[in-house]
């Protein structure tokens, strides 16, 4: 993907101002090694979920590392991302699932059972009856087919099947499309917090319940 296409894609995903926020913060971090994000911890109960997912032609299965090893996902699979994924595959409480189109991974999405965390190293809290939906990503080639929203519902059904009572997800404030998708699936804001990254260290600052 060239620079022009990348910019257009970011604007489509986050809107112009959302994209500009990301660029500005990236520049600040590159110069001063300081970065911050406003995040929404969103939640919903699971017991009343009754999503019918009968769409034909949508194949979902549990992910393996080899599913990312194809030409389409080369730019996504940086060394840092590869290390992160390899750690997840070795962690018992995390499961990855993907939408496959003609045998090719189109959308990947993850569940963390019992651990609600900002990332693999920053845990918010633990609860055996709760789970976090996180890191849903649809490859640009397959966007516009509703796979992101489909995988929210698919994972909620998976939580219900595993007798999980409450689902959580974390959304960055600039990610308006993701917020819309979570709202459609009846997630509400549970808490608002800031994330500060100074150098390689991450700090969380909770400041409001809504």
């Amino acid at each position: 993907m060239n620079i022009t296409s990348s910019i257009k894609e970011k604007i489509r995903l986050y809107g112009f101002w959302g994209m500009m926020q990301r660029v500005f913060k990236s520049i600040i971090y590159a110069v001063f090694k300081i970065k911050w994000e406003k995040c929404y911890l969103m939640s919903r109960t699971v017991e009343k979920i009754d999503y019918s997912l009968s769409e034909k032609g949508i194949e979902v299965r549990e992910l393996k590392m080899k599913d990312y090893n194809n030409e389409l996902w080369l730019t996504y699979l940086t060394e840092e991302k590869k290390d992160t994924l390899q750690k997840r595959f070795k962690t018992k409480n995390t499961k990855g699932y993907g939408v496959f189109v003609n045998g090719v991974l189109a959308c990947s999405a993850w569940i963390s059972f019992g651990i609600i965390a900002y990332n693999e190293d920053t845990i918010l809290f633990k609860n055996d009856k709760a789970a976090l939906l996180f890191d849903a990503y649809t490859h640009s080639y397959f966007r516009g087919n509703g796979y992101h929203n489909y995988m929210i519902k698919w994972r909620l059904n998976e939580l219900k099947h595993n007798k999980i009572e409450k689902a959580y997800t974390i959304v960055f404030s600039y990610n308006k499309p993701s917020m819309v998708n979570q709202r459609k699936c009846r997630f509400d804001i549970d808490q608002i917090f800031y994330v500060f990254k100074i150098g390689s260290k991450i700090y969380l600052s909770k400041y409001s319940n809504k």
Side-chain angles (χ1 to χ4, degrees):
M1 184 181 290
N2 59 42
I3 295 176
T4 302
S5 298
S6 179
I7 291 173
K8 287 181 179 178
E9 180 66 15
K10 292 294 190 299
I11 292 174
R12 191 180 76 81
L13 284 174
Y14 308 118
F16 177 77
W17 290 113
M19 186 272 292
M20 291 302 295
Q21 283 183 54
R22 285 170 59 87
V23 171
F24 174 73
K25 289 176 182 178
S26 295
I27 293 171
I28 293 296
Y29 184 73
V31 176
F32 299 106
K33 299 301 179 185
I34 297 174
K35 195 174 184 179
W36 67 97
E37 298 290 356
K38 182 180 180 181
C39 302
Y40 299 109
L41 178 66
M42 306 183 75
S43 67
R44 63 153 296 165
T45 55
V46 174
E47 63 176 315
K48 294 182 179 180
I49 289 171
D50 185 25
Y51 289 125
S52 177
L53 299 175
S54 59
E55 288 89 338
K56 295 180 180 180
I58 297 182
E59 176 193 2
V60 178
R61 64 173 186 258
E62 190 170 340
L63 289 171
K64 298 179 181 179
M65 191 66 203
K66 66 179 183 180
D67 294 321
Y68 291 96
N69 293 329
N70 63 68
E71 189 174 346
L72 280 178
W73 290 81
L74 283 178
T75 55
Y76 173 83
L77 203 62
T78 62
E79 286 302 315
E80 182 180 3
K81 190 66 178 181
K82 187 183 292 185
D83 289 342
T84 297
L85 290 173
Q86 288 173 341
K87 288 178 183 178
R88 285 182 196 168
F89 283 119
K90 294 177 182 178
T91 304
K92 292 181 178 179
N93 72 291
T94 57
K95 296 287 184 182
Y97 303 92
V99 173
F100 290 80
V101 178
N102 297 322
V104 177
L105 178 62
C107 174
S108 66
W110 289 79
I111 301 174
S112 171
F113 291 94
I115 298 177
I116 312 305
Y118 171 72
N119 61 24
E120 278 73 11
D121 301 315
T122 311
I123 296 174
L124 300 180
F125 60 89
K126 297 181 179 180
N127 184 338
D128 289 340
K129 294 295 183 180
L132 177 73
L133 308 187
F134 73 108
D135 199 12
Y137 182 84
T138 303
H139 190 279
S140 57
Y141 184 81
F142 297 100
R143 286 179 186 149
N145 293 298
Y147 294 148
H148 189 281
N149 186 262
Y150 183 88
M151 284 307 293
I152 295 174
K153 295 177 180 179
W154 192 96
R155 286 178 293 167
L156 287 172
N157 281 340
E158 185 71 6
L159 298 190
K160 186 176 181 180
H161 176 74
N162 283 276
K163 297 181 170 54
I164 296 297
E165 295 176 358
K166 197 164 186 179
Y168 289 89
T169 191
I170 296 171
V171 179
F172 291 125
S173 61
Y174 61 75
N175 198 341
K176 305 302 182 185
S178 181
M179 178 68 77
V180 170
N181 278 325
Q182 306 302 339
R183 292 286 196 190
K184 286 180 180 178
C185 294
R186 300 182 182 178
F187 277 86
D188 290 316
I189 296 173
D190 190 73
Q191 200 165 62
I192 302 171
F193 63 95
Y194 276 104
V195 177
F196 298 93
K197 185 175 182 181
I198 302 174
S200 60
K201 294 184 178 181
I202 292 177
Y203 304 90
L204 303 184
S205 176
K206 299 179 182 180
Y207 71 95
S208 174
N209 287 328
K210 275 200 176 180

